[in-house]
Amino acid sequence: MTVPHPASHVFERLESEVRSYCRGWPVVFDRALGSRLFGEDGRPFLDFFSGAGALNYGHNNPVLKRALVDYVERDGVTHALDMSTAAKRAFLEMFQEVVLQPRELPYKVMFPGPAGTNAVEAALKLARKVKGREAVVFFTNAFHGMSLGSLAVTGNAFKRAGAGIPLVHATPMPYDEGPDGEDPAFRWFDRLLAGEGSGLDMPAAVIVETVQGEGGINVARSEWLRALAGLCRRRDMLLIVDDIQMGCGRTGGFFSFEEAGIVPDIVTLSKSVSGYGLPMALTLLRPELDVWQPGEHNGTFRGFNPAFVTAAAALEEYWRDGRLQKQTLARGEQMEQGLAALAASRPAAVSEVRGRGLAWGMEFADPSRAAAVCARAFELGLLLETSGPRDEVVKLFPPLTIDEQELEEGLALFGRAVRETERPARPAGPR
């Protein structure tokens, strides 16, 4: 087992108690390349965490690194608020040409700030401004960010409690409860919207994740998403898709909603949009919704130009053709088969395996088991995290660029961690 390096004491002495990931991975990381991180002692760790989805193209991707180094070495602009720069122009042109136009998506691009929660806050504010209403509907087990507006549409009780004040103007509804027949909770939602005596204030918008990452890798059916989009149209509500964790290819297509054939009114992106792990977020909106006054929503770090550079390089390298999408779907099938076989070998321990593309989760019947599996996996050299309302799901998020052998290695280590955390059966008592 890795023992914390003495240098880690400075973290315990000076860093806030709010730190979390480092508690499960007691090592000081020093280098990272591709699908692996390395401790200061040189020990490698296979990364099935990918910066919580911020590193879809792996660590220090050489194509993106070359573009970044060249830009910095020529003294390219780093900080520019929302001023026009050559780097921003190149990104916008690339984004339109490679992402928006081929998908016939009409969006304008807003740079709301550096983080995903900035993109969500801008989306909520804009929806309320456009519709002149306060309420927003969200779904059980949703996660949309840690600032107050984003927390108000987040389902996790522990995270909501950290706000310290009432979180208002948001109404929860059950997430897709398929798979058989029409979702009864969805029908109830429709009835609430139709009834003048329901007590539900007419919402400005509905915000949804097509796959809930932090909520436990809950996958919404395409039929449910299409029905939700239709409901929003009928009831004059905007549909916001939060694609911060599942976008940028994580589920196969660049956007996770492509498979459902819907076109949301507003889309939020962050995490892997920069391609390199640099802070960057986008709020995409239909042109007719662009009712902002100049400076009405602003921020110091709306335009981090090095992130524009790596984002444009990632689009050029990975999204000009369909190679990455095909590879992601193929690797996803490989992962699904491996996880299904593991689950079938331990039916009493594993409740369910679910996911799309390269976002997968294994839910354990004993919620405490998931944390034990992640801890053992770390000892074996594999980085994993838990998710779900009770941390009952092990979340597997390898880089999209992982090769077949590395994926097999990670699945083997995961299987070993599952087996080695099994509690021995109790001996039968006296008859």
Side-chain angles (χ1 to χ4, degrees):
M1 178 176 179
T2 300
V3 177
H5 192 282
S8 68
H9 295 336
V10 70
F11 306 123
E12 296 166 8
R13 188 172 69 251
L14 292 179
E15 192 176 0
S16 166
E17 291 300 314
V18 78
R19 66 192 188 278
S20 61
Y21 291 114
C22 57
R23 298 179 188 275
W25 301 330
V27 63
V28 178
F29 294 107
D30 181 52
R31 294 188 307 110
L33 182 64
S35 302
R36 299 183 194 273
L37 286 96
F38 299 86
E40 282 188 318
D41 60 359
R43 184 187 174 193
F45 292 84
L46 190 57
D47 187 2
F48 270 39
F49 171 63
S50 297
L55 295 164
N56 282 0
Y57 311 108
H59 295 271
N60 285 305
N61 182 291
V63 174
L64 312 189
K65 179 167 65 176
R66 184 70 267 157
L68 177 61
V69 169
D70 288 347
Y71 183 77
V72 172
E73 286 187 338
R74 73 169 183 82
D75 296 325
V77 174
T78 295
H79 179 263
L81 290 96
D82 70 352
M83 292 184 285
S84 298
T85 65
K88 182 196 283 189
R89 180 180 59 204
F91 166 73
L92 285 171
E93 291 174 345
M94 185 71 69
F95 191 71
Q96 182 181 38
E97 180 183 349
V98 174
V99 176
L100 298 181
Q101 285 182 342
R103 294 163 180 81
E104 298 183 348
L105 295 172
Y107 300 127
K108 294 189 72 173
V109 180
M110 177 182 177
F111 300 102
T117 196
N118 299 121
V120 171
E121 294 283 358
L124 298 176
K125 184 192 290 188
L126 180 61
R128 288 169 171 141
K129 178 179 174 66
V130 168
K131 292 300 181 184
R133 308 178 208 133
E134 297 176 354
V136 172
V137 169
F138 67 101
F139 293 96
T140 49
N141 294 321
F143 178 79
H144 295 290
M146 298 297 283
S147 51
L148 289 180
S150 301
L151 270 181
V153 292
T154 287
N156 186 283
F158 173 72
K159 292 180 171 63
R160 288 176 65 89
I165 61 170
L167 297 170
V168 296
H169 310 306
T171 303
M173 289 289 171
Y175 194 68
D176 182 11
E177 294 186 340
D180 298 322
E182 188 177 347
D183 184 347
F186 189 89
R187 294 200 304 270
W188 175 243
F189 180 23
D190 197 2
R191 287 176 60 189
L192 287 176
L193 292 168
E196 293 181 359
S198 70
L200 177 67
D201 293 333
M202 182 57 67
V206 174
I207 185 167
V208 67
E209 302 156 276
T210 66
V211 180
Q212 294 181 328
E214 301 307 307
I217 313 296
N218 305 310
V219 183
R221 294 167 299 148
S222 292
E223 298 88 346
W224 186 83
L225 291 168
R226 287 193 290 269
L228 180 61
L231 180 64
C232 287
R233 286 193 301 271
R234 291 197 310 274
R235 302 299 182 190
D236 189 34
M237 302 179 296
L238 298 181
L239 177 61
I240 303 169
V241 168
D242 181 341
D243 233 2
I244 288 167
Q245 190 166 91
M246 295 298 163
C248 303
R250 176 54 58 178
T251 65
F254 186 86
F255 296 104
S256 70
F257 56 80
E258 291 179 45
E259 182 178 286
I262 62 174
V263 179
D265 298 294
I266 303 174
V267 180
T268 60
L269 287 174
S270 186
K271 291 193 182 287
S272 277
V273 72
S274 81
Y276 201 73
L278 299 177
M280 182 176 174
L282 307 177
T283 302
L284 310 179
L285 51 141
R286 291 183 181 271
E288 62 270 23
L289 304 179
D290 193 14
V291 297
W292 294 114
Q293 296 297 312
E296 189 175 6
H297 186 92
N298 59 19
T300 305
F301 294 101
R302 280 173 290 166
F304 184 49
N305 283 264
F308 294 151
V309 171
T310 54
L315 295 177
E316 175 68 40
E317 179 70 14
Y318 294 105
W319 294 99
R320 278 285 182 191
D321 53 35
R323 284 182 299 123
L324 182 65
Q325 181 172 344
K326 290 177 183 177
Q327 177 177 300
T328 298
L329 295 175
R331 298 282 187 272
E333 290 179 4
Q334 180 185 352
M335 178 170 280
E336 181 178 14
Q337 291 169 6
L339 295 178
L342 179 61
S345 71
R346 280 152 175 79
V350 178
S351 299
E352 189 178 7
V353 170
R354 52 185 181 259
R356 274 180 58 198
L358 278 174
W360 285 89
M362 178 175 283
E363 180 179 340
F364 288 88
D366 174 3
S368 66
R369 182 76 179 282
V373 169
C374 289
R376 181 57 183 145
F378 171 77
E379 294 171 353
L380 296 172
L382 177 67
L383 301 182
L384 295 166
E385 70 166 335
T386 61
S387 67
R390 296 180 295 164
D391 287 324
E392 73 278 20
V393 177
V394 174
K395 178 180 170 186
L396 298 98
F397 249 54
L400 307 185
T401 51
I402 194 168
D403 66 36
E404 189 175 352
Q405 291 71 32
E406 288 173 325
L407 188 55
E408 279 300 321
E409 177 187 350
L411 288 171
L413 291 173
F414 176 61
R416 182 178 167 188
V418 170
R419 291 189 296 273
E420 293 181 0
T421 53
E422 290 177 338
R423 295 183 177 91
R426 293 181 179 178
R431 293 183 180 272

